[in-house]
Amino acid sequence: MTAASTPELEADRQALIRLINDEAVFHGDFTLSSGKKATYYVDMRKLTLDHRAAPAIGRLVLDLVKDLDGVVAVGGLTLGADPIANAVMHESVHAGHPLDAFVVRKEPKDHGRGRQVEGADVAGKRVVVVEDTSTTGQSALKAVEALRREGAEVVAVAVIVDRKTGAQAAIEAEGLQWLASIDLDDLRLAPQ
């Protein structure tokens, strides 16, 4: 189990855990984006795009990254990271330590400026990749690869829910810090 850095943030975290358990955990037979089979699915997009959860998500992810020196922007692979990065950006302004957001396309655009990373200029900047949940870490690592090609210094990957299925080891093997706000123990779910 993890905890937030202040009682107020821990209250946000506990409220988010309740929302996840009540509205975002589905039981059945699922195939994850990694190709792995699972008997439950944590559909965080249901909450990252929900007005009740998004502000708390922004505050909690901001809490995860607040002690990382020199970080100026957060984002990740579209679509899952987009609402998280926006929530963090908005909450960071309220907290008095503004962070920008960026979006990493799955592939570079084939028109216009041909960019793969949109939003904040990341060249030479310290950034954090965000994700709703991760099984193998491959989506986050795809974003990391694109950001490194753009000249960014990726320092960490921050996820809302750690599925405890190998993503942390994959991220740390790339020399990045792994940060998670909620894990399966918090949700009373077993790793699979």
Side-chain angles (χ1 to χ4, degrees):
M1 297 177 100
T2 58
S5 68
T6 68
E8 296 81 11
L9 286 168
E10 184 57 24
D12 276 345
R13 198 175 80 82
Q14 292 302 319
L16 183 58
I17 288 168
R18 284 189 297 279
L19 272 173
I20 293 168
N21 279 323
D22 291 347
E23 299 185 27
V25 176
F26 296 88
H27 296 276
D29 294 319
F30 299 97
T31 301
L32 305 176
S33 64
S34 64
K36 291 184 177 186
K37 302 292 183 188
T39 58
Y40 63 82
Y41 182 72
V42 181
D43 185 0
M44 285 304 298
R45 287 186 187 103
K46 196 164 172 21
L47 294 177
T48 60
L49 294 164
D50 186 303
H51 71 280
R52 298 168 299 161
I57 288 169
R59 289 188 293 271
L60 290 167
V61 175
L62 184 60
D63 187 48
L64 290 175
V65 305
K66 71 179 176 21
D67 294 328
L68 299 174
D69 288 336
V71 169
V72 299
V74 299
L77 200 61
T78 199
L79 170 77
D82 301 350
I84 301 165
N86 281 308
V88 172
M89 178 181 63
H90 289 287
E91 291 301 325
S92 73
V93 171
H94 292 301
H97 301 288
L99 296 175
D100 288 323
F102 57 84
V103 172
V104 179
R105 296 175 184 274
K106 291 183 171 119
E107 300 294 332
K109 282 175 51 175
D110 62 359
H111 60 282
R113 294 174 55 205
R115 296 180 52 102
Q116 188 169 7
V117 179
E118 300 284 0
D121 177 23
V122 297
K125 308 282 176 53
R126 291 172 59 86
V127 302
V128 173
V129 169
V130 296
E131 210 171 29
D132 52 5
T133 185
S134 189
T135 304
T136 64
Q138 293 311 301
S139 293
L141 290 175
K142 186 171 184 175
V144 168
E145 182 182 313
L147 288 160
R148 286 176 172 166
R149 279 195 306 270
E150 293 287 325
E153 180 187 350
V154 183
V155 297
V157 172
V159 299
I160 301 167
V161 176
D162 180 359
R163 289 183 57 91
K164 292 186 169 183
T165 51
Q168 179 175 357
I171 298 304
E172 290 175 344
E174 286 294 317
L176 302 169
Q177 189 171 352
W178 173 262
L179 305 165
S181 185
I182 296 168
D183 64 25
L184 294 183
D185 293 338
D186 295 313
L187 299 174
R188 295 183 188 96
L189 295 170
Q192 24 178 22

